Amino acid sequence: MAQLDGTAIIARSLKRQGVEHIFGVMGFPIVDLAQVVQREGLNYYGFRNEQSASYAAGAVGFMTGRPGVCMTVSGPGMVHAVAGLSNAWANCWPMLLVSGAPDSYQREQGAFQEAPQLEAARPFVKLSTRPDSLARVPAYIEKCVRTSMAGRPGAVYLDLPNDIIAGKHDEASVPWAPCCGAPPRPLADPREVERALAALRAAKRPLVIVGKGAAYAHAEHEVRAFLEASRLPFLAAPMGKGVVPDDHAQSVAPARSLALQEADVIFLIGARLNWIMHFGLPPRFARDVRVVQLDIAAEEIGTNVPAEVGLVGDAQAVMSQLNEALSAAPWQLAADSAWWTALRAKIAENDAQVAAMSRDDALPMGYYRVFGEIRAQLPRDAIIVSEGANTMDIGRSMMPNFAPRQRLDAGTFGTMGVGPGFAIAAAVTHPDKRVFCIEGDSAFGFSGMEVETACRYRLPITFIVVNNNGIGAGETVLSDPIPPNTYTPNARYDKVIEAFGGRGFFVNTPDELRKALSDAALESMPTLINVMINPVSTRKPQKFDWLTR
Ligand code: ADP
Ligand code: MG
């Protein structure tokens, strides 16, 4: 009777569920498992810290719609990966964390790296579970994958004690589980569809907000068709960028504050009225704003502001319903309406202001000039990963996306350190696209060692570190005591990547930046462009604080 190892059963079960990429740091008790995973034809990427590996798994979930997998050792390794679970939880992304654990018989004996792993995962996951036997592993993995994708997506956790990993089972009688398909795409109540259209049609100042739920649902064709048929203005949430191209004539991104503040009806498509959207409350929104809300999670409808219309369902499916109903009884917001006229005037005003700032020749450079140079050389289908404070905030308006699911940033959880893990996930899932990881120097520091990972796998990511010597405005010379927000002035992050065979560029001027970007584009290895900017450079004056209270 041929016996199959536990490692092979785990690896084949993951493969059967459509998993292609596994990110982790190996060690007891998953040393053999990581090797067997490779032998079984899965791609295993060894990271330098489980945090980044877990961020990569979440990013795969967002970009592909099936959970990325992070694999960790027991105890500290698993605890580090809670970072990725929490980030996926906040962003509603499917991911699976599989962690080794001590042998079951050693539980509660103070085993090596023993920890309450199921409990550590639980607040951030849809399911935190542990199979009781090797025979049940295929069914557990199927359930984990299905649960992560179903309804509102999220993270799941699977605990694998060493005795299960090291076990054996009769090869002929392994109870394999079939691959779970894509989750169902529920339709909304047709009466709500009619009510949504009626509310938008009656609005004087309607606004559509496209969130990352729309991106996740692959609703790009349906959303665009709806916008073009209705001629409604739209704003993209940070990771909803690219569902409809940022240069679409109906994007009112440059007039964001005005659009939010004056809209009388907003239509949220897979976007939440949380802190990023200022809770839907004054002063950022009109006091009596009416809300039409589309979300897969019924409990989300009405968060912070009561929703007048609740479209509970999948964004792609429900937008098709809306399109059908709209084509049966067409209407459009007039191009010469007072609302479009006001929005266009504001867009022109803000565009002119930003254009001037992005041409500013002052040295050291400010953010807008840096982004102006980068933007000029970005391919249209670039994947943009971005994090940092000003770097990310200003980058949201200055770095356009033209295709969906190609913008990844610190997101709903505001997690710093996600950049390299996200960029590696993007590079391995989209080998045909160029990946730019644009981050502040402080953000880079959280996971900077992962440039070694990028170099080892020869992933031609362009890292751009927008360096202001610290968090917010760092200093140019260290004073005593060292200010809490200041890091080593003029730190040579570009030299870090050279230690691993990548190419670094140290840049002070627009000319140098332009040249570095075009040289980096020719490299087959990762590159890092370290851009020194004016430490006191900031965002253009904003009407509201970023966290409006
Ligand atoms: P953003 O930050 O872009 O506003 P959020 O993460 O706040 O996006 O909101 C995304 C919303 O999308 C979540 O409330 C989630 O439940 C929802 N969502 C996820 N998948 C789908 C889907 N297939 N169809 C519709 N909504 C979805
Ligand atoms: Mg900084």
Side-chain angles (χ1 to χ4, degrees):
M1 217 167 42
Q3 295 283 100
L4 201 55
D5 289 336
T7 50
I9 293 175
I10 297 163
R12 285 183 203 176
S13 297
L14 289 168
K15 197 169 173 189
R16 274 176 181 250
Q17 297 307 326
V19 174
E20 289 175 46
H21 305 287
I22 298 184
F23 310 93
V25 180
M26 66 121 80
F28 175 82
I30 59 157
V31 176
D32 293 345
L33 181 56
Q35 285 166 4
V36 171
V37 149
Q38 286 184 317
R39 214 178 304 140
E40 295 291 335
L42 291 152
N43 298 312
Y44 176 86
Y45 302 91
F47 275 63
R48 305 307 300 260
N49 185 297
E50 294 86 356
Q51 275 191 21
S52 289
S54 64
Y55 297 145
V60 165
F62 175 58
M63 289 184 289
T64 70
R66 292 191 75 89
V69 173
C70 175
M71 198 178 271
T72 59
V73 304
S74 47
M78 186 275 163
V79 170
H80 289 170
V82 173
L85 292 180
S86 57
N87 193 62
W89 160 78
N91 284 308
C92 309
W93 289 348
M95 75 165 275
L96 169 58
L97 173 63
V98 176
S99 182
D103 285 283
S104 305
Y105 76 87
Q106 291 182 349
R107 205 170 290 143
E108 307 305 340
Q109 290 196 331
F112 174 65
Q113 296 185 332
E114 181 181 358
Q117 298 179 174
L118 291 169
E119 292 80 358
R122 192 156 282 134
F124 299 113
V125 299
K126 298 174 75 176
L127 176 68
S128 179
T129 190
R130 173 199 287 150
D132 63 297
S133 66
L134 182 53
R136 297 274 291 144
V137 162
Y140 270 73
I141 290 180
E142 188 274 344
K143 180 168 180 179
C144 284
V145 169
R146 181 161 40 88
T147 304
S148 74
M149 299 187 296
R152 172 182 267 178
V156 291
Y157 175 64
L158 183 67
D159 200 67
L160 293 177
N162 182 50
D163 43 307
I164 288 191
I165 299 174
K168 288 184 191 302
H169 195 281
D170 168 28
E171 181 160 13
S173 65
V174 176
W176 297 109
C179 178
C180 68
R185 292 186 179 273
L187 293 168
D189 180 339
R191 287 166 302 187
E192 293 295 285
V193 171
E194 291 301 336
R195 293 184 60 227
L197 289 177
L200 289 166
R201 180 180 193 163
K204 292 217 156 41
R205 295 178 303 283
L207 176 68
V208 177
I209 298 176
V210 183
K212 63 179 172 290
Y216 183 79
H218 287 239
E220 51 268 21
H221 301 299
E222 293 75 10
V223 171
R224 185 171 183 159
F226 177 75
L227 288 170
E228 290 179 353
S230 63
R231 210 194 280 124
L232 296 180
F234 78 95
L235 281 178
M239 287 193 257
K241 278 165 74 74
V243 169
V244 182
D246 275 334
D247 61 351
H248 191 281
Q250 286 162 243
S251 165
V252 294
R256 185 177 191 270
S257 286
L258 176 85
L260 294 181
Q261 212 177 10
E262 309 245 314
D264 59 351
V265 177
I266 54 171
F267 175 21
L268 299 163
I269 309 177
R272 285 173 285 184
L273 289 180
N274 56 17
W275 68 277
I276 293 191
M277 280 296 156
H278 322 284
F279 312 108
L281 297 175
R284 301 300 302 262
F285 285 79
R287 186 161 305 281
D288 49 0
V289 66
R290 295 159 59 199
V291 176
V292 176
Q293 194 172 359
L294 187 173
D295 205 291
I296 192 115
E299 67 274 23
E300 188 60 39
I301 307 289
T303 298
N304 296 324
V305 181
E308 184 172 311
V309 183
L311 298 164
V312 179
D314 170 74
Q316 188 189 80
V318 176
M319 291 311 295
S320 304
Q321 286 179 284
L322 284 164
N323 285 333
E324 231 169 88
L326 182 59
S327 67
W331 53 261
Q332 274 198 330
L333 177 64
D336 61 356
S337 56
W339 184 220
W340 263 122
T341 308
L343 288 167
R344 275 201 210 93
K346 191 71 196 172
I347 289 170
E349 184 190 320
N350 283 350
D351 277 350
Q353 192 185 357
V354 166
M357 291 168 82
S358 62
R359 283 192 304 265
D360 184 356
D361 285 327
L363 289 177
M365 290 183 278
Y367 284 103
Y368 290 84
R369 181 63 194 250
V370 170
F371 283 124
E373 296 297 338
I374 299 172
R375 180 157 78 175
Q377 292 198 42
L378 275 182
R380 233 182 128 77
D381 66 346
I383 299 182
I384 302 174
V385 176
S386 164
E387 58 172 333
N390 278 322
T391 302
M392 181 171 72
D393 291 344
I394 301 171
R396 279 176 175 160
S397 57
M398 293 293 292
M399 298 284 101
N401 282 86
F402 305 105
R405 297 171 294 283
Q406 296 193 184
R407 182 64 161 236
L408 293 147
D409 72 18
T412 308
F413 211 33
T415 314
M416 293 299 147
V418 291
F422 283 3
I424 291 168
V428 302
T429 52
H430 296 84
D432 53 322
K433 299 206 159 72
R434 287 203 55 208
V435 179
F436 291 80
C437 182
I438 306 169
E439 16 191 337
D441 56 320
S442 133
F444 178 74
F446 285 84
S447 307
M449 195 65 182
E450 302 299 346
V451 295
E452 190 279 326
T453 310
C455 287
R456 190 163 15 102
Y457 293 99
R458 309 182 70 84
L459 303 170
I461 299 162
T462 306
F463 295 93
I464 301 176
V465 177
V466 183
N467 192 345
N468 65 356
N469 298 339
I471 305 172
E475 302 202 344
T476 45
V477 182
L478 289 183
S479 54
D480 185 24
I482 296 172
N485 66 323
T486 294
Y487 294 137
T488 303
N490 303 308
R492 296 296 301 270
Y493 299 108
D494 48 302
K495 293 197 175 178
V496 174
I497 202 165
E498 300 209 319
F500 312 115
R503 181 160 174 207
F505 302 85
F506 185 63
V507 159
N508 283 288
T509 67
D511 285 346
E512 288 168 1
L513 176 54
R514 218 172 298 134
K515 174 95 174 36
L517 286 162
S518 57
D519 286 356
L522 304 173
E523 291 288 330
S524 57
M525 281 292 282
T527 50
L528 190 153
I529 306 175
N530 182 11
V531 190
M532 297 309 306
I533 62 160
N534 187 342
V536 298
S537 171
T538 53
R539 223 169 157 183
K540 83 178 170 60
Q542 300 290 302
K543 196 165 171 196
F544 295 102
D545 184 28
W546 68 284
L547 281 182
T548 308
R549 288 189 173 76

